[in-house]
Amino acid sequence: MAAVSGLVRRPLREVTVRDAINQGMDEELERDEKVFLLGEEVAQYDGAYKVSRGLWKKYGDKRIIDTPISEMGFAGIAVGAAMAGLRPICEFMTFNFSMQAIDQVINSAAKTYYMSGGFQPVPIVFRGPNGASAGVAAQHSQCFAAWYGHCPGLKVVSPWNSEDAKGLIKSAIRDNNPVVVLENELMYGVPFEFPPEAQSKDFLIPIGKAKIERQGTHITVVSHSRPVGHCLEAAAVLSKEGVECEVINMRTIRPMDMETIEASVMKTNHLVTVEGGWPQFGVGAEICARIMEGISKKLVLEYSQAVVNIMYLNTYRIKRLKARSGKYFKSKSRKQFPIISPHLCAKVVVPSWHLLSLS
């Protein structure tokens, strides 16, 4: 058969973040009868943001449960159900309302596995919109990534696009630990290309693994949730000016994928973090601290050892020069130090570190 030339690649199917989450929950509800969804208006109203659209009609009252407006009450019911062996998905209409149930999330869900000596898992998902939205004022505009990312016993994920949303919600439901899924209200209606592998019922994104959305060599830019899109837009602008940014989509806040971030910073020697939360004690502050404690410290130690090696090398060479010429090399201080001449030294390169946390 003759080769066909001029083939046009078909555009990938586009799926909104809302539909990707819905698809992920639908597949897990179908796969495991222990999975159920509860929250305010999730059933007959199809969810405040229509994320659970069609699920009540398909699975009925026993598995898609409307609750009263009492986050502390239905979050406690969900935690108890998880302890009894079920796999609840607890939806908060907005994560700002999770403050009403934070005792259940932290003291009951997050700590039980540890306090039971590993005998009592709590496989529960807390999900809902997180971060700033449009015109909802200060009380409904908080990002809880740093809040929940601070707490041992929780896993915290923060999807950006449709692929993230489906893969992470499915992994969260299957996980035996409590998982907080921080969605973004402004992203629900945004369509993204949906690769064929993401359309599979077996598609999962591992919790704790970041993704490099754009390769670059000059600056590492780390972000999560909606700001990832802003970073990619900025990287496209900077690319026209000759600056190539490597954009990392964290996907998971806890456990944080520092291996991917460190490898990128080792390559670019520059780091910028971008997030939608407050700057003090934020996700970016944690990343910067770990970089300084990790690879920065390692490089300083390597540099110090290199300098020591050079000092020994030159001390030996200077002694030979002194023996031949009888000349002494002295510093301005009282102690004598060898003079390190450029032609005697190996080249030691120390990266310059520019760490900036943007909120």
Side-chain angles (χ1 to χ4, degrees):
M1 181 181 292
V4 179
S5 60
L7 289 177
V8 179
R9 181 186 175 189
R10 291 183 179 180
L12 294 175
R13 173 189 173 196
E14 286 194 343
V15 174
T16 64
V17 172
R18 173 189 292 109
D19 290 341
I21 299 170
N22 179 281
Q23 188 179 127
M25 291 194 298
D26 185 12
E27 290 173 1
E28 294 305 304
L29 284 159
E30 184 180 285
R31 172 182 171 272
D32 188 348
E33 292 184 354
K34 294 180 180 178
V35 177
F36 70 98
L37 171 69
L38 78 166
E40 297 159 355
E41 299 181 342
V42 300
Q44 297 185 43
Y45 190 67
D46 285 338
Y49 299 98
K50 306 305 177 187
V51 175
S52 56
R53 181 169 45 204
L55 297 181
W56 174 67
K57 291 180 180 178
K58 184 174 182 179
Y59 296 102
D61 290 325
K62 289 187 176 181
R63 300 187 65 193
I64 311 297
I65 304 170
D66 276 332
T67 66
I69 303 176
S70 174
E71 285 76 16
M72 180 182 290
F74 67 74
I77 291 172
V79 172
M83 291 180 180
L86 299 179
R87 291 184 174 272
I89 307 168
C90 178
E91 177 182 308
F92 295 118
M93 190 180 291
T94 163
F95 257 95
N96 300 279
F97 300 155
S98 75
M99 295 175 70
Q100 305 295 324
I102 201 164
D103 181 61
Q104 302 288 0
V105 177
I106 305 302
N107 282 327
S108 297
K111 297 180 181 179
T112 296
Y113 187 69
Y114 165 75
M115 294 183 71
S116 67
F119 285 102
Q120 180 61 67
V122 186
I124 185 173
V125 173
F126 299 102
R127 54 154 296 269
N130 170 72
S133 185
V136 294
Q139 292 177 331
H140 291 176
S141 297
Q142 299 164 103
C143 175
F144 285 82
W147 290 56
Y148 289 120
H150 175 69
C151 303
L154 289 178
K155 292 184 179 182
V156 183
V157 300
S158 182
W160 166 53
N161 60 15
S162 302
E163 181 182 343
D164 294 351
K166 180 181 177 182
L168 289 173
I169 190 66
K170 286 171 68 70
S171 293
I173 294 169
R174 296 188 189 189
D175 202 289
N176 287 326
N177 299 282
V179 183
V180 173
V181 181
L182 300 173
E183 301 153 11
N184 188 285
E185 178 183 337
L186 296 177
M187 298 301 296
Y188 280 143
V190 179
F192 288 91
E193 290 185 344
F194 214 48
E197 60 270 19
Q199 299 174 33
S200 168
K201 292 185 177 182
D202 298 321
F203 176 69
L204 298 171
I205 290 177
I207 294 174
K209 186 63 179 174
K211 180 184 179 183
I212 298 176
E213 298 287 351
R214 179 190 176 105
Q215 296 284 345
T217 55
H218 298 132
I219 304 173
T220 297
V221 183
V222 183
S223 187
H224 67 93
S225 190
R226 186 168 179 255
V228 173
H230 301 327
C231 293
L232 290 170
E233 292 172 4
V237 173
L238 288 170
S239 180
K240 296 176 182 178
E241 301 177 10
V243 179
E244 295 299 333
C245 298
E246 183 148 290
V247 179
I248 297 178
N249 173 11
M250 294 180 67
R251 286 180 165 176
T252 304
I253 307 301
R254 185 184 184 105
M256 194 177 288
D257 182 7
M258 285 305 300
E259 285 188 14
T260 298
I261 298 172
E262 287 179 354
S264 178
V265 175
M266 287 286 286
K267 177 173 66 173
T268 65
N269 297 335
H270 297 80
L271 171 64
V272 175
T273 69
V274 183
E275 62 184 297
W278 298 320
Q280 187 161 324
F281 309 116
V283 174
E286 176 68 18
I287 294 171
C288 292
R290 291 204 194 182
I291 289 292
M292 295 306 295
E293 292 172 354
I295 58 176
S296 180
K297 182 178 179 181
K298 178 183 176 183
L299 286 172
V300 168
L301 291 174
E302 290 177 352
Y303 171 70
S304 301
Q305 185 61 49
V307 170
V308 169
N309 292 339
I310 292 168
M311 295 287 280
Y312 278 120
L313 171 66
N314 286 286
T315 301
Y316 171 73
R317 291 182 175 178
I318 289 169
K319 284 181 179 179
R320 292 184 63 187
L321 289 173
K322 285 164 61 178
R324 292 179 182 177
S325 61
K327 294 182 180 180
Y328 290 87
F329 300 85
K330 295 184 178 180
S331 67
K332 294 182 180 180
S333 63
R334 295 179 182 179
K335 296 182 179 179
Q336 291 188 355
F337 292 94
I339 295 176
I340 303 179
S341 176
H343 68 276
L344 295 177
C345 297
K347 186 177 181 183
V348 180
V349 179
V350 180
S352 59
W353 301 88
H354 298 272
L355 302 175
L356 176 63
S357 179
L358 301 179
S359 62

